[in-house]
Amino acid sequence: MANDILGPRWGWYYVGPTQFMVCYGSVIALTLLGGQCMKAIYVLSQPNGSMKLYEFVIIFGFLMLVLDQIPSFHSLRHINLISLFLCLAYSACAAAASIHIGNSSKGPKKDYGLKGDTESRIFGIFNAIAIIATTYGNGIIPEIQATIAPPVKGKMFKGLCVCYTVLIITFFTVAITGYWAFGNHSEGLLLSNFLDDGNPLVPKWFILMTNLFTILQLSAVGVVYLQPTNEVLERTFADPKSKELSARNVIPRVVSRSLSVVIATTVAAMLPFFGDINAVIGAFGFMPLDFILPVIFFNLTFKPSKRSLVFWLNVSIAVVFSALAIIAAIAAVRQIVLDAKTYRLFANV
């Protein structure tokens, strides 16, 4: 769309790299989250164990490396369906556990007050906006495709409805019950709150099951987000004249995909700040792609009258979200700098 509407330079040098950053940044965040879930299982069985977070990130990265050898996006359709049910399952588990802990005497003292000084709170608001953009920005592809001519339009509109239904059910349920149960002590990974100094607040088997669901779902989603990177690498190194499973194509595919996963795993292990990574992705990626560019595309394509409400509504959305994206980007980078001062590289958080 950017190539056709804004010209190839905008497509190649801005929109394309931004989309690439969103996908690859998501892989880094998912790899980190998978490592955190693995560590939670380990702490549950070995409260005084010596293994560090970065070791579990590496283990999860190895799992991703194996799954990433699946040849094409079409090969992932069954994994995607399983991923959907896993997402619903672990969200239901997280919400149920939060309600149980919130109603029990074991639960922590609830504190809903705001932490930090005024400056930290203001930047925290914009940091949160960027994270929300990351959370709800995943529906942009089916949303665009839902406007295409039939029969794609009908199918994709159904897909879009399913997408937002799952998002709303899972995120709102977990967010509301988690914040009610733990207040401002809620972690970026809510499952971490189910352990209090190594002591489980719900049955061990339940924590194990929930983390296992999460690990399996994260591995599936991570492989999906790796596909754009794989596409770029294979356009560069593959030979379209050779067979897909020939040595000429298999060897470059294995090497390039493995290197891609290794780099993402290394970054995730070095900077174990899940919320911060999400904020960066939202500020620099999802906010421009989801809230700014679509309304610009609309005005340039359909050319509504400058006196019309639609034109000025789109201009207002573009201006407001451009300002939000700039401030959110500053807030996201600021938070990473603050956390980097508090924790060293490869920190065991």
Side-chain angles (χ1 to χ4, degrees):
M1 289 175 67
N3 282 339
D4 290 338
I5 298 170
L6 300 178
R9 288 188 177 181
W10 278 95
W12 281 103
Y13 298 112
Y14 177 67
V15 176
T18 303
Q19 290 176 311
F20 182 85
M21 184 207 73
V22 163
C23 292
Y24 200 67
S26 298
V27 172
I28 294 171
L30 292 166
T31 304
L32 171 58
L33 195 55
Q36 289 177 328
C37 291
M38 286 185 169
K39 183 189 173 186
I41 294 174
Y42 175 74
V43 170
L44 196 63
S45 58
Q46 300 288 337
N48 299 316
S50 59
M51 289 186 71
K52 308 297 183 185
L53 175 60
Y54 68 84
E55 296 176 81
F56 293 102
V57 172
I58 292 170
I59 294 171
F60 186 82
F62 181 77
L63 172 63
M64 290 279 291
L65 190 149
V66 173
L67 292 175
D68 193 38
Q69 305 310 319
I70 293 174
S72 66
F73 190 84
H74 185 65
S75 306
L76 301 174
R77 62 194 184 280
H78 302 302
I79 293 179
N80 289 338
L81 181 61
I82 295 170
S83 173
L84 169 64
F85 291 115
L86 288 171
C87 178
L88 294 171
Y90 77 68
S91 297
C93 290
S98 296
I99 294 170
H100 173 77
I101 294 169
N103 284 320
S104 71
S105 57
K106 296 180 181 179
K109 183 180 178 181
K110 298 181 180 67
D111 181 5
Y112 303 112
L114 298 176
K115 294 180 179 180
D117 54 23
T118 303
E119 179 186 345
S120 297
R121 292 179 184 181
I122 291 173
F123 277 110
I125 291 170
F126 289 104
N127 208 44
I129 289 172
I131 294 173
I132 292 170
T134 302
T135 302
Y136 291 97
N138 296 284
I140 189 65
I141 299 302
E143 188 163 335
I144 290 172
Q145 290 178 314
T147 64
I148 301 175
V152 177
K153 182 176 180 178
K155 294 178 180 178
M156 291 313 302
F157 184 75
K158 292 177 182 177
L160 183 66
C161 292
V162 172
C163 174
Y164 281 113
T165 300
V166 173
L167 280 171
I168 291 170
I169 290 173
T170 55
F171 284 116
F172 269 92
T173 304
V174 173
I176 292 170
T177 56
Y179 189 70
W180 170 76
F182 304 107
N184 57 23
H185 293 291
S186 300
E187 299 286 348
L189 174 60
L190 186 65
L191 305 184
S192 301
N193 287 104
F194 298 167
L195 292 173
D196 183 18
D197 292 328
N199 299 314
L201 300 177
V202 291
K204 286 186 177 182
W205 64 266
F206 189 87
I207 297 177
L208 177 64
M209 178 182 69
T210 306
N211 277 285
L212 188 59
F213 284 161
T214 308
I215 290 168
L216 293 173
Q217 200 265 348
L218 290 171
S219 61
V221 175
V223 173
V224 171
Y225 273 111
L226 275 166
Q227 294 308 306
T229 309
N230 296 341
E231 183 73 18
V232 171
L233 292 170
E234 286 171 28
R235 280 184 186 176
T236 305
F237 299 111
D239 180 10
K241 295 179 181 179
S242 301
K243 293 182 179 180
E244 183 182 19
L245 299 179
S246 65
R248 170 62 183 83
N249 283 329
V250 169
I251 294 173
R253 179 193 302 143
V254 171
V255 172
S256 60
R257 291 188 178 197
S258 299
L259 185 61
S260 171
V261 174
V262 167
I263 293 171
T265 303
T266 303
V267 175
M270 288 174 62
L271 301 171
F273 315 121
F274 178 66
D276 298 355
I277 294 173
N278 272 332
V280 170
I281 296 169
F284 288 97
F286 278 112
M287 291 184 79
L289 291 176
D290 285 14
F291 304 106
I292 301 171
L293 288 174
V295 294
I296 293 174
F297 289 166
F298 184 94
N299 277 1
L300 291 176
T301 302
F302 298 103
K303 296 180 174 58
S305 170
K306 292 183 179 180
R307 296 180 181 180
S308 68
L309 177 62
V310 171
F311 176 85
W312 287 108
L313 178 62
N314 286 338
V315 170
S316 300
I317 291 171
V319 170
V320 169
F321 278 97
S322 294
L324 282 175
I326 292 169
I327 299 171
I330 295 170
V333 173
R334 172 185 176 273
Q335 191 60 47
I336 285 183
V337 171
L338 290 175
D339 285 340
K341 289 180 180 177
T342 305
Y343 303 104
R344 57 183 176 79
L345 294 178
F346 299 99
N348 184 39
V349 295

